């Protein structure tokens, strides 16, 4: 008979998401105003056809998704459909409709986003021929005074 006593540990191919240690976000009017301001700025940039802000603003998102997907951050960034949508003449950026948007604070109060009345993402490009739409979810976390686009 053999008795063993000890600890076994395994290295997992996973990493802790940064939002898990983020500050809690209050579900209040100040948070909603801040989210509305940030979504409006993103929409304004996209309406201008500008995508130069995406690599910097979405860096954390691209880095974490790269780890999860076993890809390079550059590959994840290149696959971000916002680049193509903002430059596609066959797509039109839909208005934000902020008065009808719903604020969601979730992930144990550490993530926040605005969604359309039907629960879909607020950033939407609609095909000019009416054949469909591309929705782009945008989710923020907070660390101190910084709002970080993380999903």
């Amino acid at each position: 008979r053999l008795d063993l006593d000890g600890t076994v540990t395994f290295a997992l191919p996973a990493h802790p998401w940064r939002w898990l240690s983020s500050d809690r976000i209050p579900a209040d009017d100040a948070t909603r105003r801040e989210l509305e301001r940030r979504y409006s700025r993103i929409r304004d940039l996209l309406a201008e056809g500008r995508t130069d802000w995406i690599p910097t603003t979405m860096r954390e998102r691209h880095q974490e998704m790269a780890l999860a997907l076993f890809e390079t951050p550059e590959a994840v960034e290149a696959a971000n459909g916002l680049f193509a949508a903002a430059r596609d003449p066959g797509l039109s950026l839909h208005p934000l409709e902020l008065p009808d948007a719903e604020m969601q604070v979730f992930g144990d109060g550490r993530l926040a986003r605005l969604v359309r009345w039907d629960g879909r993402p607020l950033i939407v490009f609609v095909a000019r021929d009416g054949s469909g739409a591309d929705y782009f979810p945008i989710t923020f976390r907070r660390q101190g005074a910084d709002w970080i686009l993380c999903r």
Side-chain angles (χ1 to χ4, degrees):
R1 174 173 171 197
L2 179 65
D3 290 327
L4 297 174
D5 184 18
T7 303
V8 177
T9 60
F10 297 94
L12 298 176
H15 64 285
W17 301 104
R18 290 184 189 119
W19 69 264
L20 291 169
S21 61
S22 291
D23 296 341
R24 287 217 163 46
I25 300 169
D28 60 15
D29 290 340
T31 295
R32 183 179 177 95
R33 283 190 303 273
E34 185 62 29
L35 290 173
E36 286 180 358
R37 188 180 73 74
R38 291 180 180 277
Y39 274 83
S40 293
R41 180 67 180 139
I42 288 170
R43 191 203 178 277
D44 290 347
L45 290 168
L46 291 171
E48 295 169 9
R50 290 190 47 203
T51 57
D52 56 314
W53 59 275
I54 293 174
T56 302
T57 306
M58 295 188 163
R59 178 174 290 124
E60 179 174 303
R61 176 183 181 179
H62 294 152
Q63 289 172 341
E64 289 194 339
M65 292 308 295
L67 288 171
L69 299 171
F70 300 97
E71 292 284 351
T72 65
E74 295 78 19
V76 172
E77 180 181 310
N80 187 329
L82 277 175
F83 286 109
R87 295 183 175 142
D88 188 336
L91 297 176
S92 173
L93 187 58
H94 190 69
L96 284 180
E97 300 177 354
L98 289 174
D100 296 324
E102 175 188 335
M103 181 176 72
Q104 296 177 338
V105 176
F106 60 104
D108 195 29
R110 297 176 192 277
L111 297 170
R113 65 181 170 207
L114 295 177
V115 295
R116 293 167 37 93
W117 59 271
D118 60 1
R120 289 183 164 180
L122 204 56
I123 302 294
V124 184
F125 284 88
V126 180
R128 292 186 192 278
D129 65 5
S131 62
D134 291 330
Y135 295 84
F136 295 93
I138 302 288
T139 302
F140 291 92
R141 70 180 184 90
R142 200 175 82 194
Q143 199 70 48
D146 295 329
W147 286 84
I148 301 156
L149 197 159
C150 65
R151 297 278 162 275

